Amino acid sequence: MDMKQIYTQIVMQHARESDYRYEMDDATQTERGHNPSCGDDITLHIKRSGDTIEKVSFTGHGCAISQASTSLLCEQMEGKSVAEARDEIGTFLAMIKGEKTDEAELEEALGDAVALKDVSHMPQRVKCAVLAWRTLDDMLKEDA
């Protein structure tokens, strides 16, 4: 099985069912992310303790790319400090823009979220992939 097939499976699994799709009752921050051009609409919920992101969840709807990307973001960010999260957001955005391409480096930094790297070749889907990541970045900037 080649890497593209593995990546496709990861994306589809996260799009179909996510352990992170729920409304968090004890969230310390909640923010909506919306892409009016395609209808993707998510709400991120995070629970922080000091500088640490303890839990991340989401609700909402959208295309498979936006839903998978949001689920992967939630998986990636739990337990991270705000600084680590912001670094990983920057790495993800650079990957989607095609600015960072070293697969081994990206996989080490982003885990399974590297499965979305080929979105960089689909300009019409970039907004779908980055919606949750930009929403979380906005949430974390509020304290900066």
Side-chain angles (χ1 to χ4, degrees), residues 102-114:
D102 183 283
E103 196 155 331
E105 180 184 319
L106 290 170
E107 192 168 320
E108 182 177 329
L110 299 173
D112 282 349
V114 76

Side-chain angles (χ1 to χ4, degrees), residues 31-34 42 44 69-70 73 77 86 89-90 92-94 96-97 99 126-142:
E31 186 150 333
R32 178 181 181 224
H34 179 67
I42 59 150
L44 281 181
S69 184
T70 305
L73 168 122
M77 294 301 162
R86 298 214 45 224
I89 291 166
F92 182 85
L93 295 175
I96 295 298
K97 291 178 188 173
E99 297 169 354
V126 166
K127 287 182 181 180
C128 306
V130 302
L131 177 63
W133 298 78
R134 290 194 187 281
T135 302
L136 180 59
D137 195 39
D138 288 345
M139 293 170 81
L140 299 177
K141 283 179 184 175
E142 291 174 8

